[in-house]
Amino acid sequence: MTRDVHNPILFEISWEVANKVGGVYSVIRSKAPVTIHEFGDRYTLIGPLYYKTAIAEVEPEEVTNPHMKEILEEMSRQGVRWMYGRWLIESSPRVILFDTSSISTRLEEWKADLWKVASIPSPPNDQEVNDAILFGYLISWFLNDFVVRERNAAVIAHFHDWLASVGIPLIRKRHIDLTTIFTSHATLLGRYLCSGSVDFYNNIKNFNVEEEAGKRGIYHRYHIERAAAHCSDVFTTVSQITAFEAEHLIKRKPDGILPIGLNAVKFSAMHEFQNLHAQNKEKIHDFVRGHFYGHYDFDLDNTLYFFTAGHYEFKNKGVDTFIESLGRLNSRLIACNSPVTVVAFIVMPAATQSFAVESLKGQAVTKQLKETIKDITEKIGQRIFEKAARYAGGDIVDAIVEPDELLTNKDKVFLKRRVIALKRGGWPPIVTHNMVDDVTDPILNSIRRVRLLNSPGDRVKIIFHPEYMSSGSPLIGLDYEDFVRGSHLGVFPSYYEPWGSSPAECTLMGVPCITSNLSGYGGFMQDILETPDDYGIYIVDRRMKTTEESINQMADYMLQFCQKSRRQRITQRNRTERLSDLLDWKIMGMEYVRARKLALYRTYPDSFAGVEAGEFESYIKTKIPKPLSAPASPRIKGSSNIADVDDDEEITEEINRF
């Protein structure tokens, strides 16, 4: 049967559709507008139904597609509960959510079938795998019935990560007439191995993957992921480093890379981003005054704010190397007698009991001092006005308030009380909360080991904030995005990071960052930019260098940044912000277009008249920027994922294409 490959129907399947569990949620959510622009009503997302989250995420509506309506009604008659509606995000894509618990009576039957058709084992007590199997069979059931009824258009099913992928081997074994794409956002075994103490990347070719998966109790999960990769028509990952990982652990070389974009409009501030930096930096100043002043003070005009943030993965996120490099940066700043102070924030959620009293007290007394001075200032202004107005018709000398008349004795008493209340003994605290496990916490122990204890002589101060940023917090009082905008440098030297949204978000907001070539984002920027450093993207080599060399390289980067003048930092932020268009889904989404075309070609080669197999790569080639001559514009090298264009006009045309 011939299907229309030029107007295909797309189903995108993920465990995180309208269900925020991890990073895939943000990927699918932010990508939806460009996918809707391409497919319109031919695009539907499918995910699991969790009623608590679905109520807030999805607006139910009547099923309009007659084929879908017929299938869903039939599934209802067989006991399947589902929800159909609009996901309450930008572009409002259609979603179908299936309640896996409603069909749990068929679990054992489907487990036996999965072993029979795909040789995938499933232990009895792994609830997550049980849910994945139920979801996978519901997906294959729905898609099979859909392509039987929809006889004209080609159908693409794009699956994300292993939890949603059980349906792929079922589709292949049952010869269902559609094409499949599987995207691995991180391999299961890779994440488990990296969380241990193994030298992952130097030994990746030597691992016995079956044995390693078995030792970690994920043998069955690993085989679901591996079956999905091998049974899909097109297998993709989100970065070159994950592709390298997948080739050795999953044993299939990916067909392409689907890098993760962002919604640049969300972060766009146009010419205002420098003003936003100044405004939010002042709010961070307020926190730093409350945290440090009273113990001792330093010049905030010569203070730089560095930060790292994310899930608490001490090694994988590179927090260990960050702290070590801060210790060396401190020594170098002291040795060169630098006037610069660095305040380094570590923002990672950990188990806490409450805010630290010392932190709350510092913010409270500083706020009281600020309010007292504001009140006194208003009174002084009123006195000056009154005297000037009273003597306006007399001698001009009588209208001038003398300095000793500005402050009354009452004002002086209030001011002295506030200043005395501000004074505190000891050194400022390292952590802003009372930790549940202060003694064995890896971050705190690492800080203690490098002796960064916020002593007066240290040029590097550390603040560990063990919860996510929130504007409602009594401490910093900034949402994460505003905190990033107010900072000077983001530091994300990850050891295991399939992509890395945090440094990408920094780039979109014009904030320079340090990343590593073991992160997808770092590798992506290293591939396309001739001189990443010039654009505020400092890439630490953690692949070819030893840990010691990587730490020294990062300390060098941070010292270079500290030695920049304010003008140089402003110029660099401008250059960093200019990269934002490269990270927008309007550009990144083109790789999804290529993957879908490749999947259609492999399934329906006869529908691509005159295109030989060897010519297909050039057939689907999509133009995006090449190296530019203007110094202020990003100098792009070009990569395996990127082809050339002729000039700036073509870049603008490409960005506006969707």
Side-chain angles (χ1 to χ4, degrees):
M1 182 180 67
T2 302
R3 290 182 177 270
D4 180 4
V5 296
H6 303 294
N7 295 286
I9 294 169
L10 173 63
F11 292 99
E12 198 155 11
I13 301 103
S14 170
W15 198 258
E16 298 189 43
V17 172
N19 177 38
K20 190 172 185 179
V21 178
V24 181
Y25 174 91
S26 298
V27 174
I28 295 173
R29 177 180 176 139
S30 60
K31 184 177 66 68
V34 294
T35 313
I36 283 286
H37 192 90
E38 181 184 356
F39 283 88
D41 291 342
R42 294 179 286 115
Y43 176 53
T44 305
L45 290 146
I46 305 178
L49 175 55
Y50 290 100
Y51 293 97
K52 287 184 179 179
T53 56
I55 291 172
E57 294 265 4
V58 178
E59 181 181 13
E61 65 175 30
E62 290 294 321
V63 184
T64 54
N65 183 294
H67 300 322
M68 289 186 192
K69 185 174 183 179
E70 187 177 340
I71 296 165
L72 292 173
E73 287 176 349
E74 174 59 28
M75 293 178 81
S76 291
R77 286 191 286 271
Q78 297 196 43
V80 179
R81 291 194 295 269
W82 49 267
M83 177 185 289
Y84 178 91
R86 297 278 185 172
W87 193 358
L88 297 174
I89 60 173
E90 184 182 353
S91 76
S92 301
R94 289 183 170 88
V95 296
I96 302 172
L97 305 180
F98 289 111
D99 180 0
T100 55
S101 64
S102 65
I103 201 71
S104 58
T105 54
R106 300 190 65 176
L107 177 62
E108 295 306 319
E109 172 194 345
W110 285 345
K111 278 186 172 185
D113 184 68
L114 185 62
W115 173 253
K116 180 179 178 181
V117 302
S119 300
I120 296 175
S122 49
N125 299 319
D126 192 329
Q127 187 58 47
E128 197 170 40
V129 170
N130 290 345
D131 288 340
I133 292 171
L134 291 168
F135 185 64
Y137 272 82
L138 287 170
I139 295 300
S140 62
W141 177 356
F142 173 83
L143 291 176
N144 180 71
D145 287 2
F146 184 83
V147 297
V148 167
R149 290 167 173 79
E150 172 55 65
R151 309 289 290 179
N152 298 318
V155 176
I156 305 168
H158 190 157
F159 296 79
H160 292 268
D161 263 356
W162 75 274
L163 261 173
S165 67
V166 172
I168 297 177
L170 299 177
I171 289 168
R172 170 59 63 89
K173 296 294 183 180
R174 294 172 179 176
H175 304 288
I176 298 174
D177 188 14
L178 54 79
T179 189
T180 57
I181 303 170
F182 176 55
T183 297
S184 173
H185 292 256
T187 69
L188 270 170
L189 187 54
R191 190 175 289 279
Y192 272 81
L193 287 169
C194 278
S195 63
S197 57
V198 299
D199 186 359
F200 178 63
Y201 290 101
N202 288 329
N203 292 298
I204 193 169
K205 297 178 182 179
N206 304 322
F207 288 122
N208 182 327
V209 292
E210 301 273 346
E211 180 182 334
E212 295 293 343
K215 285 195 297 187
R216 286 159 178 79
I218 58 166
Y219 185 84
H220 49 297
R221 298 181 179 208
Y222 167 75
H223 273 276
I224 290 173
E225 182 180 52
R226 184 165 172 170
H230 284 269
C231 293
S232 58
D233 294 301
V234 171
F235 172 47
T236 63
T237 63
V238 296
S239 63
Q240 289 287 357
I241 193 67
T242 311
F244 171 74
E245 179 187 335
E247 183 177 356
H248 292 286
L249 300 184
I250 301 180
K251 307 301 182 182
R252 177 178 176 182
K253 185 175 182 178
D255 298 299
I257 307 300
L258 304 184
I260 296 172
L262 290 166
N263 184 351
V265 174
K266 173 186 174 183
F267 297 99
S268 176
M270 303 301 287
H271 59 280
E272 283 294 310
F273 83 96
Q274 294 281 14
N275 292 335
L276 289 173
H277 167 71
Q279 292 167 16
N280 290 301
K281 182 179 69 174
E282 187 56 40
K283 293 179 181 178
I284 299 176
H285 280 344
D286 287 341
F287 167 78
V288 168
R289 290 186 186 103
H291 196 81
F292 290 95
Y293 285 13
H295 298 281
Y296 52 78
D297 65 83
F298 45 85
D299 183 8
L300 291 184
D301 284 339
N302 274 326
T303 298
L304 300 177
Y305 297 129
F306 296 178
F307 79 96
T308 190
H311 297 299
Y312 197 144
E313 297 177 46
F314 183 66
K315 180 185 176 185
N316 285 357
K317 296 296 184 184
V319 186
D320 52 348
T321 57
F322 178 43
I323 295 171
E324 289 286 344
S325 63
L326 286 174
R328 298 181 192 193
L329 174 65
N330 184 54
S331 300
R332 295 178 190 184
L333 290 174
I334 293 171
C336 67
N337 199 26
S338 173
V340 171
T341 298
V342 171
V343 179
F345 291 86
I346 300 173
V347 183
M348 290 185 167
T352 63
Q353 295 173 332
S354 61
F355 290 109
V357 172
E358 185 68 16
S359 295
L360 290 172
K361 181 182 177 182
Q363 300 306 314
V365 295
T366 305
K367 184 179 179 182
Q368 286 176 341
L369 176 61
K370 192 172 186 178
E371 290 174 349
T372 298
I373 291 173
K374 181 180 178 182
D375 184 53
I376 291 173
T377 303
E378 289 176 355
K379 290 177 180 178
I380 290 172
Q382 187 64 28
R383 291 186 198 117
I384 294 173
F385 172 75
E386 288 290 345
K387 190 162 185 180
R390 185 180 303 170
Y391 292 99
D395 191 340
I396 190 65
V397 176
D398 295 331
I400 304 301
V401 179
E402 296 300 325
D404 58 356
E405 297 177 320
L406 292 178
L407 282 175
T408 66
N409 288 332
K410 185 178 180 181
D411 292 336
K412 292 177 183 178
V413 169
F414 272 123
L415 191 55
K416 286 179 181 178
R417 285 178 177 174
R418 295 293 181 248
V419 172
I420 291 171
L422 186 64
K423 291 183 179 180
R424 288 166 285 169
W427 295 349
I430 295 169
V431 63
T432 58
H433 293 59
N434 294 315
M435 303 288 290
V436 169
D437 193 2
D438 181 280
V439 176
T440 62
D441 183 80
I443 289 178
L444 290 178
N445 282 336
S446 185
I447 292 170
R448 292 166 185 143
R449 188 178 64 255
V450 299
R451 303 295 298 170
L452 286 179
L453 303 176
N454 290 344
S455 71
D458 285 335
R459 305 315 304 154
V460 174
K461 322 290 184 184
I462 288 190
I463 297 172
F464 177 25
H465 188 271
E467 70 174 15
Y468 289 123
M469 290 291 175
S470 169
S471 57
S473 169
L475 296 179
I476 300 179
L478 285 171
D479 287 328
Y480 176 73
E481 182 181 325
D482 295 326
F483 174 76
V484 172
R485 288 191 185 278
S487 300
H488 295 93
L489 182 71
V491 186
F492 310 96
S494 301
Y495 182 75
Y496 185 81
E497 188 70 79
W499 179 246
S501 295
S502 295
E505 289 171 355
C506 284
T507 301
L508 259 66
M509 290 185 273
V511 176
C513 69
I514 293 176
T515 183
S516 82
N517 60 354
L518 290 182
S519 75
Y521 178 76
F524 175 78
M525 282 301 183
Q526 199 167 44
D527 281 346
I528 68 170
L529 291 178
E530 288 183 355
T531 53
D533 296 11
D534 290 347
Y535 298 93
I537 312 293
Y538 299 92
I539 301 172
V540 176
D541 185 356
R542 299 202 63 184
R543 190 166 181 179
M544 305 305 294
K545 294 181 182 292
T546 64
T547 301
E548 182 72 12
E549 291 171 328
S550 299
I551 291 170
N552 282 326
Q553 183 185 19
M554 186 156 59
D556 289 340
Y557 281 149
M558 291 194 287
L559 181 61
Q560 291 169 22
F561 189 85
C562 291
Q563 292 171 338
K564 289 182 182 293
S565 67
R566 179 170 296 184
R567 179 178 291 275
Q568 287 173 325
R569 293 199 304 271
I570 290 172
T571 299
Q572 189 176 63
R573 283 200 298 272
N574 282 326
R575 288 187 166 196
T576 303
E577 198 271 342
R578 288 195 186 102
L579 297 175
S580 59
D581 284 337
L582 293 177
L583 301 176
D584 190 62
W585 274 118
K586 293 173 183 176
I587 294 293
M588 297 297 207
M590 294 175 186
E591 299 305 325
Y592 280 75
V593 175
R594 291 189 191 184
R596 290 191 286 264
K597 287 180 179 178
L598 179 59
L600 289 168
Y601 178 77
R602 286 181 173 174
T603 306
Y604 309 107
D606 294 340
S607 298
F608 292 83
V611 181
E612 299 295 332
E615 300 173 350
F616 188 71
E617 285 299 321
S618 60
Y619 173 77
I620 65 169
K621 204 171 197 178
T622 308
K623 291 182 176 182
I624 70 173
K626 74 166 186 179
L628 304 175
S629 57
S633 299
R635 291 189 293 277
I636 300 171
K637 290 196 292 191
S639 70
S640 60
N641 264 20
I642 294 180
D644 293 346
V645 293
D646 296 327
D647 52 33
D648 288 340
E649 290 183 2
E650 291 196 40
I651 293 172
T652 304
E653 179 184 346
E654 199 62 45
I655 289 170
N656 294 329
R657 183 175 186 178
F658 285 83

